[in-house]
Amino acid sequence: MGKKFYVVWQGVKPGIYTTWAECAAQVKGVAGAQYKGFESREAAEQAFKQSYNDVKGQKEAKHSVLSVDNDGMTVLKEGTIDGPELNSLAVDAACSGNPGVMEYQGVYVASRTQIFHYKTPVGTNNIGEFLGIVHGLSYLKKNNLNQILYSDSANAISWVKQKLCKSKLPLTPQTAELWDYVHRAEAWLRNNTYTTEIRKWDTARWGEIPADFNRKH
């Protein structure tokens, strides 16, 4: 994703700008110009409070736009513009090794309630992401729920649209049960229609997807 906010510390007029053209007008031809792009206004505002030397080598942190109120319900942080739909289902997968122990889950974003969960001794993250989406589609259709379905995997979303899991995981006695599950998911996609809108979760702008297993280091 391209940068959307630009901080100018040293230029014609220091400040925060929302387009590269505006930023360039402040720094072009200025000796020792100091500027940097950011993906969120929050990050840009925090950086502008510091010196250029303090932030120039830092990687931009991913700040979640989601918070929790006193009742445990998900809310958008104050000032958030264009955040995710809260009346939605989020799916994500995790894998310990590749292949390795794989699991996926579906979480209702508004209440952060786990709706479903699946775990298998041998699998891959991509397969888990694919199965999570299909499981979510099946769940929403079965329960007549008109909700957005979020996944942070562009690869899995593509596989679902093609109605085919393109994993190269070998078929072995250890993976036979998982592959049977995958083939049933593919068959569901071929034999069913659905109105659910599948959207890509924007991790760079919104932070980790609510169904994340929180295993990143």
Side-chain angles (χ1 to χ4, degrees):
M1 173 180 292
K3 304 300 182 183
K4 299 223 173 170
F5 299 91
Y6 300 86
V7 175
V8 175
W9 286 269
Q10 184 166 320
V12 177
K13 184 179 180 181
I16 298 174
Y17 298 89
T18 57
T19 69
W20 168 243
E22 292 174 325
C23 176
Q26 308 306 316
V27 302
K28 187 176 182 181
V30 176
Q34 298 175 347
Y35 59 96
K36 184 176 179 181
F38 297 87
E39 292 175 350
S40 69
R41 178 173 288 280
E42 180 183 5
E45 290 176 347
Q46 289 297 320
F48 194 42
K49 295 175 183 177
Q50 305 175 62
S51 72
Y52 172 71
N53 289 331
D54 287 337
V55 302
K56 65 179 180 179
Q58 295 178 0
K59 292 185 177 179
E60 184 177 351
K62 293 184 174 70
H63 300 284
S64 175
V65 301
L66 302 181
S67 186
V68 180
D69 66 15
N70 293 332
D71 297 319
M73 296 293 288
T74 301
V75 294
L76 290 174
K77 290 182 179 177
E78 186 176 353
T80 297
I81 300 175
D82 192 27
E85 296 284 345
L86 300 185
N87 181 28
S88 61
L89 181 68
V91 298
D92 199 18
C95 194
S96 301
N98 195 35
V101 177
M102 180 273 285
E103 59 186 320
Y104 70 76
Q105 64 180 348
V107 172
Y108 180 53
V109 175
S111 65
R112 299 182 176 243
T113 303
Q114 185 187 74
I115 302 300
F116 53 78
H117 176 260
Y118 173 84
K119 188 173 184 178
T120 184
V122 183
T124 68
N125 195 72
N126 281 336
I127 290 179
E129 300 277 12
F130 171 81
L131 290 174
I133 297 175
V134 180
H135 196 150
L137 291 172
S138 174
Y139 171 83
L140 293 174
K141 180 173 182 176
K142 180 179 179 180
N143 292 279
N144 296 312
L145 296 173
N146 183 25
Q147 296 173 4
I148 303 297
L149 191 156
Y150 284 110
S151 168
D152 62 6
S153 173
N155 190 55
I157 293 173
S158 174
W159 287 1
V160 168
K161 290 180 178 179
Q162 297 174 63
K163 304 179 182 181
L164 182 65
C165 177
K166 294 187 176 182
S167 173
K168 296 181 180 179
L169 181 69
L171 176 60
T172 68
Q174 290 73 34
T175 63
E177 183 176 343
L178 174 62
W179 271 113
D180 178 64
Y181 191 24
V182 169
H183 292 151
R184 284 187 283 131
E186 293 172 332
W188 188 93
L189 290 172
R190 291 193 301 269
N191 298 325
N192 286 272
T193 58
Y194 55 87
T195 58
T196 300
E197 181 182 354
I198 304 172
R199 293 185 188 175
K200 173 74 167 57
W201 182 267
D202 195 339
T203 305
R205 294 170 60 198
W206 302 338
E208 296 296 342
I209 193 167
D212 181 63
F213 283 89
N214 195 28
R215 296 181 185 171
K216 300 177 179 65
H217 301 286

